[in-house]
Amino acid sequence: MKEALLTTQMTKQDAAMLGALELAYVGDCVFELLVRTHLLRTSGRKVKELHGLVVKHVCAAGQAALANRILDQLTDDELAVFKRGRNHRHPRIPKGSSPAEYGLATAFEALMGYLYLCGETERILALTESAFEA
C-alpha cells in the first residue's frame, strides 16, 4: 500500500483519459504543496503569516496569472490538457473570480495534475518557477 501512494506515475495516455476536473483536483493539491514548501523554505515566516502568502498564489487570480505566463511554453500535449481544463464549464464561479479567470485557473490545475500523474515533476518546477520571482 505504501508503494502505491508514492508511485503516482501513469502513462501519458492513461493520465490524458482522466477528466479535466479529476486532473484539476490533483493539480490543485500539487501546486499548493509546491507553494507551501517553497514559502516555508524561503520566507522565514511563521505558519500564520505563511497562509496569506500561499493564498495569493493558489487563488484563481494567482493561478490564472501564472497560466497566462506559461502558455507559450507548453508542448502540444500539455496545451491539449490545458485547453480541456479551460473549456470545462463550471456551474458556479466563486465570488471574486470571472468565468475566464476561473477557467484559466482550472486549466492550470489540470495541467499540474496531468504532469504530476505522468511523473513530470521537473517540468512542473520549470513551468511554475515564475510564480516565485520577485
Side-chain angles (χ1 to χ4, degrees):
M1 180 64 175
K2 287 182 183 179
E3 291 176 14
L5 290 173
L6 297 175
T7 307
T8 58
Q9 192 165 349
M10 297 178 156
T11 65
K12 288 186 177 190
Q13 294 81 12
D14 287 344
M17 294 297 292
L18 293 171
L21 289 186
E22 287 80 13
L23 292 171
Y25 179 73
V26 171
D28 181 49
C29 295
V30 169
F31 184 61
E32 185 163 346
L33 182 59
L34 187 146
V35 170
R36 285 179 180 225
T37 304
H38 174 79
L39 292 174
L40 186 66
R41 278 195 230 150
T42 61
S43 74
R45 298 196 182 179
K46 297 194 184 284
V47 172
K48 195 174 194 180
E49 297 169 323
L50 286 173
H51 179 72
L53 295 173
V54 170
V55 168
K56 289 179 183 177
H57 290 286
V58 299
C59 67
Q63 290 176 341
L66 184 53
N68 280 322
R69 285 199 299 272
I70 67 168
L71 198 51
D72 63 341
Q73 301 171 43
L74 302 182
T75 66
D76 290 342
D77 288 344
E78 293 167 352
L79 188 58
V81 170
F82 184 92
K83 286 180 178 180
R84 281 182 35 221
R86 184 192 63 202
N87 294 338
H88 180 80
R89 294 293 163 234
H90 301 278
R92 288 182 236 173
I93 305 296
K95 291 181 183 178
S97 293
S98 70
E101 185 177 68
Y102 199 66
L104 282 172
T106 302
F108 176 78
E109 290 173 346
L111 177 62
M112 293 297 104
Y114 171 78
L115 291 172
Y116 174 76
L117 291 172
C118 292
E120 299 282 342
T121 54
E122 291 298 318
R123 183 67 174 146
I124 292 170
L125 294 174
L127 289 172
T128 60
E129 185 177 19
S130 68
F132 307 115
E133 293 174 354

